[in-house]
Amino acid sequence: MQEVEQDPFLFPDLGALPDDLSEFMNEDYLRSLDTDVLFCDPWLNCEDFLNNNNSDIPTTTELPSADSHQEGQQHNLTGETKNRRKRPRAPRSQRCTDDNMPSRAKRQRAAGQAKTKKAQTEPNITQGGDMGSELSSAETAGLSTPLRRILHLHPSIQFITIPETQGYQVFQTLSLSPPVIGLPLPNTAATPTYILVPAHSPPRNRQMPPLSPVDSAVAPVQMSSSPPGSLSDTASKAMSPPCTSPLSPSNETSPCKESPVPQSPTILDIPQSVKDYIQDAKAHMSQTCHDMEAGLSLTSHYVNVQVIQREILRSGKNANKCLNKELIFMGETDRQKSLLGQSQIFESSNGDKPKRYILLFGNVGMGKTTLIRKLCLDWSRDCIPQFDFVFLLDGKALTITESTYSLQTLLLNLSSFAPSCVDPEAVYAQMLAAPKRVLIIFDGFDELRDYEMLLQTQEKELITSLQKDSKAQTYTVRQLYSAILQRVLLPGCTLLLSTRPRGTASQLLRRADSLLEMCGFTPTYVESYLSQYFTDPALRASAMDCLKNCRYLQLLCWNPGLCRLVCLVLEQSKSSEILPRTLTGLCHQVLCLKMERDCRSTHSQTEAQAQISIQSGEETQTHISNNTQVRRGSRNTQRKSRAQVSTRSRTQRARRTRVQEKGAGEEEAVEINSVGSEAESTEERQLLSQLSSLAWEGVKANSSILPAGQTLSAKLKAFGLRTGLFLSHHLRTKHIVSRGEREGGGREDREETGRIKKTGRIEKGERRGNRRSTDMENNDISDNILLWANPFLQSYLAGVHLSLSRTVSDRTFLQTLPFHSGPKGRRRPQREELELTQRFAVGLLFHNRAELQRLHLYTEKTFRDMAVSKQGLVTKHFEGLFHVDLSPAQVLEACHYVYEASFTHGDDSRDSDGTRLAAHLAANLPDVLTFHRVSLNPPDMFAVQNVLERGGTVGRSFCLDLEDSGIQISGLRALVGLSNINTYRACIADVITLWEQLEQSGEEGLLRQVVSKFKIHPLKATQVCHVEHLAKLVNIHMHRKLSDSSSQSDSILAEGVPAVKELHKLEFELGPETGPLAVPKLCELLPGLHNLQHLDLENSKIGDKGAEKLADALVSLCSLEILNLSQNCIGDQGVKKLATTLRDLPKLHCLSLYSNVISDEGAESLAAVLPHMASLTELDVKYNKLTDVGAQSLGASLRNCKKIKTLRMWNQCIPYGVFERLQQQDHRILWH
């Protein structure tokens, strides 16, 4: 090794360090050390140092730079080093015999005690260079030189290894000098660095944060001095509980040049008990997550759909506030570019920070829970390697209100799919040590009725108590949920929350750093799902044909949950004529199928039991008859000849009697069966009535959990479970006994635990057996919670209660109808399940009454009178609406209601009220029908199309605004292709894609219509993609063709794109952050907008360079009348360039340069061109940097501009007297 000059005090000549530390750090070699030499230095003795040093203990020490290193050496030589005790240093001989120092024997005992204890203090290692200075090149070169001699260490000092990188910082917790000793190992592929850290010091009166807790436990992340979530993976592993005691240092050295390449010491890895738990968790999760529902599994029936990466837009005047974030709506073309696979959900893109707070949202039935189960299954198969622990939490656990849980028991005992844990303390310690390796999933977050309380800041005392994480403290599930969501507990973990887009999602936007949306099924996915569902080829082909003939059902399959219901109906239907045509009809038919299956299975079980009892009775009778015949055989033989005649006559009479009795028995059986079927039917209706009432209560409470206790009868529970309307969920309400609690239970338990700890593993057979016994134990300590299995059927039964129950009065029913508040009513959107219930209630009132007999207990006349009465209420309510005052979301709801009322299944003589409702809505809708920022899925589009078509029959025509609606291109084609649509607005990229599709399919007539109807005036660009889409449309307008290879559209686009020619106003509202990025693209497309009259670039921060580019583009805008360049940081250079262009715009009459940085030089440039701007009438240069010189220049130029009506130029740099004198000279000069 190459020798380096070293400080004689810091590095005494005590030998060299061996190449492989792990071979020499043991107790045998430690006994050979010269303890006098090892412990004589006072700063090496931590105990003596802490007992005698009364100075403050620094908490952070930065790695020194090269300059500071040299200065430190000089201070070390002169005895002026900082952070050292102020008492004078004594010679070594005196120090060894000093009365204040412990004797040699005492030190040897102290060293022996230190060898038996584990290190209590470990370094906090953070990635990044924010907290300290980086090493200079000179220092790096110096440190890379191998050290021949090194300081001997106290045996309690522990070492770890981290990768060699400048991105790591070391924070010490004790005032030692030097704080860190680096030992680079050359000739290795990835040179590690040994970090030597002082061990835990004796207790003092003064608490020294952030020391680790006692009993060798790992310090929780909340107690660490490093910022939350800053621990690296390597450091996290190193901070896990050590399996063995720290290795002792050695004082032997070996020549580095002659020795082989040294091997790095083994990094402190995950304990074997924790590894076993992880494997058990994966095996248990793989088993429990495999099934989707009855008869379906993730392996055979799962369709691997993608999710969409959504973005948020900050709205409001102050764009820096994050409270008013909104989702950015994207067209289908942009959505295709934002698709993510399941493997990309947790990955960071473009070097961004990792995703730690992920929000997954989608409408009811879109497959959020199925996707989460698939992610859990993938983790169990090692397809998501970035996580060691995955825990699934949901709102069902909030039914537990007792304060009996800690974070450890919540995750290990209460989370779904969690197996039993042999060593919960070790598992929990590992989670605290490496929180980045933990994934916590909240499924069904929208079901939490009071989720606002979970997101509110908790009390300070509660937060402090939670951060201590004492096992003696217990909390409610709600408190722990709130602490996890607010990053009080496990702040470094990854959170995945699933919710619906209404209500809850808006509360979570401010916290999420990744927004994902469920896509739904495309036609290709629908075919794939049907192919997996129908294994019989003939049945699959029949189902495909039926679905193609029923367009509405085909569009409903966009929702995976509804696609499942459609498959249930297709499985039983034999032709498309009997398929339902509405969502109400679909859910009604599915409910009837479930009840018929239950009825058949019940009858089959009853018949089987009756057959078994009959057979047993016949066998008994036969056995008795045979025994009697054997006993009487001998006597009957003697009398046989005499009794033959009489026997024959008696046999004939008995046979006739049996025939008569059999006939009477069959008639009696028919009567009994008839009475039994009527009783069963009555009982079934009673159960359905109770179910519908429970469903309505659940919808009002926004909960899918059924009430516990004595509310539900045994018959009702059995009926719900048999029909598949209910699901039973096992919820643990008691704690599983941990290993530490079992250690005192008996010798066998202790021996078993010791065997596991000794071997470090459990055999597979034993693990399976333990799992089975644990599952039995868990069932004993679990409570069953009943849930609604399907949200659509729950809402349907709630609608049954509202429309078909006499307990709901007309007044109550009227209050549940939508749009109840009139023109001044609330505009807040309703919850989706309540909206579905209202839709079902309206649809049931106009449904075929003969099919609804199974859903009520009333006579035909009573039911008819009740239905007619409520139909009249609905008709009167909808006809009394002010349709002009309805919001776009309310108009969409009304379209669904009238569609459900006017298209009922199997009722050819449907009531005229349903058709009248649709005609009334179509006749009273506004001429300009907008769905701006209202999501339109395929079923929504179909309902709107139905109303528009009815409007066409009465002579109505409409202008559609479909911008920011997310409508699919197929739906866009269906709507804009209607003959009574005059104009339409939509995403420009989707419209261009539609044009290209029509050109490829040869539909020239439809292409001509959709090109001529498309409008973009006025256009407001709020995203960069809007400018890019406009540039593409302008390019088509300039080249007169859709693409270079297309020729069919030449005649259609011979005069350009009408929408571009008619664009007169363009507002550029990208804001100060993204505005400068889109200015170059804007300047490229502006020359193609020859008819543009109004250009607004306010608050885009284009600066002088952007103003210069804009000046070149404005030359071709001869029709420009209004130009707004306010708040754009334009200075004198930009104004000078703009002035030469503005003078040549013949129609410009309004110019705003409000709130820029224009000074007197720029004012003189404007003053020079003002007389040449013949059409200018208004000029605004307020709040710039003009002084009295610039103001007087503009005032003098104004005298030569007779057409200018107002000049606003006041700011604080203009003296009040000067401005007042200018106003007196020319009254056109205004303050504001």
Side-chain angles (χ1 to χ4, degrees), residues 730-954:
H730 295 285
L731 183 64
R732 299 171 181 171
T733 57
K734 298 181 181 178
H735 298 171
I736 298 176
V737 181
S738 64
R739 184 191 63 180
E741 296 171 343
R742 288 198 306 264
E743 285 182 352
R747 186 184 62 182
E748 296 178 0
D749 292 340
R750 290 194 298 270
E751 291 177 355
E752 178 66 17
T753 304
R755 184 180 65 84
I756 294 174
K757 294 175 66 176
K758 181 178 179 180
T759 59
R761 60 187 179 87
I762 305 176
E763 299 298 332
K764 294 182 178 180
E766 295 176 347
R767 187 178 295 139
R768 293 194 191 100
N770 293 338
R771 188 181 300 120
R772 283 194 294 267
S773 62
T774 304
D775 292 340
M776 294 176 62
E777 180 184 357
N778 292 348
N779 290 334
D780 294 337
I781 63 174
S782 299
D783 286 347
N784 290 336
I785 295 180
L786 291 181
L787 313 168
W788 287 100
N790 191 289
F792 294 102
L793 295 181
Q794 179 187 2
S795 296
Y796 173 78
L797 287 173
V800 169
H801 177 74
L802 290 179
S803 58
L804 306 183
S805 176
R806 296 186 63 183
T807 59
V808 180
S809 62
D810 292 349
R811 181 179 180 180
T812 304
F813 176 75
L814 186 61
Q815 292 175 351
T816 59
L817 292 177
F819 328 128
H820 192 68
S821 50
K824 295 183 180 180
R826 57 177 176 81
R827 296 299 177 90
R828 182 179 179 181
Q830 298 184 100
R831 290 182 285 108
E832 188 175 5
E833 59 274 11
L834 181 58
E835 181 182 314
L836 284 173
T837 300
Q838 295 169 343
R839 192 185 307 178
F840 286 133
V842 174
L844 283 167
L845 288 176
F846 297 90
H847 200 78
N848 186 1
R849 293 169 188 164
E851 296 182 358
L852 302 180
Q853 290 294 330
R854 299 182 65 178
L855 302 181
H856 63 85
L857 295 168
Y858 314 115
T859 62
E860 183 177 354
K861 182 180 182 303
T862 303
F863 175 67
R864 183 178 65 251
D865 294 341
M866 180 184 61
V868 170
S869 175
K870 291 186 177 180
Q871 279 183 8
L873 290 175
V874 172
T875 303
K876 183 179 179 180
H877 176 71
F878 276 92
E879 289 179 351
L881 291 177
F882 297 93
H883 296 84
V884 179
D885 296 325
L886 294 180
S887 66
Q890 291 174 333
V891 171
L892 179 60
E893 291 177 30
C895 293
H896 277 292
Y897 295 138
V898 299
Y899 176 77
E900 294 291 332
S902 57
F903 285 90
T904 55
H905 164 59
D907 189 6
D908 297 333
S909 60
R910 59 178 178 267
D911 199 301
S912 60
D913 287 345
T915 307
R916 190 173 68 185
L917 277 179
H920 176 80
L921 178 62
N924 290 275
L925 285 177
D927 294 335
V928 179
L929 195 58
T930 176
F931 294 99
H932 185 69
R933 295 194 65 83
V934 175
S935 180
L936 291 178
N937 54 48
D940 295 335
M941 180 277 306
F942 188 86
V944 173
Q945 182 184 1
N946 169 63
V947 175
L948 295 179
E949 289 176 345
R950 288 187 179 273
T953 59
V954 295

Side-chain angles (χ1 to χ4, degrees), residues 1059-1080:
V1060 177
K1061 296 169 63 176
E1062 298 171 1
L1063 178 61
H1064 302 310
K1065 182 178 180 179
L1066 174 60
E1067 295 181 70
F1068 196 75
E1069 294 190 0
L1070 273 71
E1073 296 180 359
T1074 57
L1077 303 177
V1079 167

